[in-house]
Amino acid sequence: MKKIIKSILVIVFIFITNSGYSQTNEIKVRFIGNCGLHFTDGNTSIYLDFPYKSGAHNYMEYDKSQLDSITDNSIFIFTHRHKDHYSKKLVKQMKKKHKGRIFGNWNVKKLDELNNSISEFTIRAIKTSHSFALKHYSYLITWHGKNIYITGDTGSLDEVSKIKNIDLIFTNPWLYMNAQDEKITIDAKIFALYHLYPDQTINGEIPDNLKVLKTENETIEIQY
């Protein structure tokens, strides 16, 4: 009887172990508001253009719980320092409270630190144009073999049109429409449209590979 029980336990253990290995890994992206995004692979936590001033320039507000949910040692990356993308006051609070690392248009050269400290991760800062911003950067993140592009506020297609095999691109509506109007192809599998006003609507048929982000905490998962 004991041998039978032992055999059953061994079988159960093997099943559980194999099930664990068969689970699909993923990068989870959570939309916070406007261009605020939270990326995680379960180990590393990265915020893009967050925290910003909630409701700045009549763009989306976000619940205060978003700030409360930030964990220690999170990474914060900013395309530029307009208030609807960046709050100096809140960023200072997050850095002090959570010992976070902060990167933006003022210290992009230090982004190389992330390439050496995060597993299977590289980030490339691409200088792009944006009105009223002396320095604006878009970012190409390669993480676990997946390419993720963040446009920020630029409307220029010069840079993004040269990048191949983008798995997921977060794009503002004017860059997306510029590509449609100028018939320029962006080589991306999934488009996520952000930076919309709360009452803004999208006219016409929405393609299957276009996700319109307007609701706080919407998520996109990329399996790897």
Side-chain angles (χ1 to χ4, degrees):
M1 185 67 180
K2 288 183 179 180
K3 289 183 179 181
I4 295 173
I5 294 173
K6 186 176 180 180
S7 299
I8 293 172
L9 290 175
V10 169
I11 293 170
V12 170
F13 176 78
I14 293 172
F15 176 78
I16 292 172
T17 303
N18 289 338
S19 296
Y21 280 112
S22 67
Q23 288 178 353
T24 303
N25 294 318
E26 66 180 21
I27 299 168
K28 184 176 182 179
V29 189
R30 181 169 55 85
F31 176 63
I32 299 172
N34 199 35
C35 291
L37 302 166
H38 175 232
F39 295 76
T40 184
D41 66 346
N43 295 310
T44 303
S45 183
I46 301 173
Y47 289 87
L48 261 295
D49 281 350
F50 185 82
Y52 66 92
K53 183 179 179 181
S54 184
H57 306 312
N58 296 317
Y59 284 107
M60 280 185 65
E61 296 181 359
Y62 56 83
D63 193 274
K64 183 179 177 297
S65 62
Q66 300 288 357
L67 295 170
D68 297 334
S69 67
I70 293 173
T71 57
D72 289 346
N73 302 312
S74 290
I75 296 162
F76 303 87
I77 303 171
F78 297 91
T79 58
H80 62 302
R81 287 187 279 187
H82 286 170
K83 291 181 180 179
D84 54 330
H85 295 256
Y86 171 88
S87 166
K88 183 177 181 179
K89 177 182 177 181
L90 292 174
V91 168
K92 287 179 68 175
Q93 290 177 1
M94 294 303 105
K95 183 175 182 179
K96 182 178 180 181
K97 183 177 180 180
H98 299 292
K99 301 177 183 178
R101 288 183 284 175
I102 317 296
F103 303 91
N105 60 359
W106 61 92
N107 69 345
V108 289
K109 291 183 179 179
K110 290 189 175 182
L111 279 169
D112 286 340
E113 297 174 7
L114 299 182
N115 298 338
N116 299 322
S117 63
I118 303 174
S119 177
E120 299 183 60
F121 179 96
T122 60
I123 181 167
R124 175 184 163 199
I126 302 168
K127 192 171 184 181
T128 46
S129 61
H130 173 44
S131 301
F132 311 115
L134 295 177
K135 289 184 179 180
H136 177 281
Y137 289 89
S138 302
Y139 297 103
L140 176 63
I141 294 173
T142 302
W143 202 2
H144 299 295
K146 299 298 181 179
N147 294 320
I148 305 169
Y149 193 87
I150 296 95
T151 66
D153 273 8
T154 189
S156 172
L157 296 164
D158 293 341
E159 299 79 15
V160 67
S161 62
K162 298 173 185 175
I163 298 173
K164 303 301 180 183
N165 193 31
I166 300 172
D167 292 286
L168 171 62
I169 180 171
F170 290 91
T171 175
N172 60 66
W174 48 93
L175 185 143
Y176 184 79
M177 291 307 300
N178 286 347
Q180 304 298 309
D181 294 341
E182 298 178 31
K183 299 186 182 339
I184 293 177
T185 299
I186 298 174
D187 185 17
K189 296 181 179 69
I190 302 172
F191 292 78
L193 199 65
Y194 67 176
H195 211 324
L196 300 168
Y197 287 108
D199 59 350
Q200 188 170 348
T201 57
I202 305 300
N203 297 321
E205 185 177 350
I206 298 177
D208 292 338
N209 67 339
L210 174 63
K211 185 174 180 66
V212 181
L213 298 174
K214 294 190 67 176
T215 305
E216 191 172 346
N217 291 323
E218 286 187 82
T219 60
I220 299 174
E221 290 82 27
I222 309 173
Q223 297 180 350
Y224 62 88

